[in-house]
Amino acid sequence: MAGAVTALCALFTVLLTLKAFAAVGIGGAFGWRDGSVCASGPHTHGGAEDWFSQAMEPRPGVEVSLTPECCDGSPSGGARLLSTLTELPSSALYIGALFLLSWLIRAARQNGPYTFRTAGRLRILGWYLAVGSVVCHVAESVAGAALLNSLRAAGHRPLLYDVTHGMPYFVILTGVGLLSLARIMRVGTEMREVLGCPPGDLLTHRRQGPEQE
């Protein structure tokens, strides 16, 4: 089981790495390519009289909304860097999480699940996901807002992204859940130390203890 999980971690790491680097030669990745750089606006436009609404032919009383997108056919290096920062942090977060998961699996396989080392590594993974996902999301939101403002005409009011929009709540909750599980495993490890049983025999010792007494 541990070998299969390790293999999956390696596979996902290779796929993310290919997206980050090898894809540059087949169309580009993270904004570094021969082509335009685009940024979507945080606000939508809607109405019943514009050409887009008329093309969609909505029924009476229904308004059609669209999100504006600005594209630069000859972007500068700064625009490409901002475009990179709208995607790269999340990919780096997931690659790091896969390495930490592999690190955790090795500890559990070598020392057993109920050890301070395994619980500590699980706690690190939990904090990494809970805090790192928020930091990456905020960084990508700020970079997206800066990119969009750089594509707009001078003198316009700067647009700010709503950082709560698209917040990775699932990843955050996963990190919090791992922190709780790490706490439970640490308590179990402390119980094992008190009972003086091997790491894999904690539950067996607890079941057999009352009968032996």
Side-chain angles (χ1 to χ4, degrees), residues 16 32 37 40 48 63 77 81 85 89 112 127 184 190 207 209 213:
L16 290 172
W32 294 96
V37 167
S40 300
E63 293 188 353
L81 177 61
L85 293 177
W127 277 116
I184 294 173
E190 294 173 352
R207 288 196 300 264
E213 293 178 358

Side-chain angles (χ1 to χ4, degrees), residues 32-156:
W32 294 96
R33 60 186 175 188
D34 295 331
S36 61
V37 167
C38 299
S40 300
H43 305 290
T44 58
H45 170 71
E49 303 299 332
D50 56 75
W51 65 269
F52 184 78
S53 297
Q54 294 175 4
M56 293 298 295
E57 299 181 354
R59 62 181 176 81
V62 176
E63 293 188 353
V64 179
S65 299
L66 61 93
T67 300
E69 185 178 57
C70 301
C71 294
D72 186 358
S74 301
S76 63
R80 291 188 184 278
L81 177 61
L82 290 174
S83 179
T84 300
L85 293 177
T86 62
E87 301 181 38
L88 184 59
S90 292
S91 296
L93 175 73
Y94 297 142
I95 292 175
L98 290 175
F99 277 110
L100 288 177
L101 179 59
S102 177
W103 187 49
L104 169 65
I105 292 173
R106 286 199 305 269
R109 184 165 49 188
Q110 294 173 0
N111 307 301
Y114 287 99
T115 61
F116 290 110
R117 175 178 294 181
T118 302
R121 291 186 180 184
L122 183 62
R123 185 171 179 267
I124 291 174
L125 178 59
W127 277 116
Y128 179 82
L129 291 176
V131 177
S133 60
V134 176
V135 173
C136 289
H137 175 71
V138 172
E140 291 177 351
S141 298
V142 172
L147 176 60
L148 182 60
N149 288 320
S150 70
L151 300 178
R152 301 174 70 238
H156 285 274

Side-chain angles (χ1 to χ4, degrees), residues 114 187-192 194-195 197-198 200-213:
Y114 287 99
V187 171
T189 302
E190 294 173 352
M191 293 175 59
R192 178 182 63 81
V194 172
L195 295 174
C197 58
D201 295 341
L202 177 59
L203 296 178
T204 303
H205 185 95
R206 287 177 57 82
R207 288 196 300 264
Q208 295 178 352
E211 298 177 359
Q212 293 177 352
E213 293 178 358

Side-chain angles (χ1 to χ4, degrees), residues 15-39:
L15 292 177
L16 290 172
T17 304
L18 287 176
K19 177 185 177 183
F21 299 105
V24 174
I26 56 174
F30 305 125
W32 294 96
R33 60 186 175 188
D34 295 331
S36 61
V37 167
C38 299

Side-chain angles (χ1 to χ4, degrees), residues 126 129-130 133-134 167-177:
L129 291 176
S133 60
V134 176
M167 183 70 71
Y169 294 107
F170 178 77
V171 182
I172 297 173
L173 291 176
T174 299
V176 173

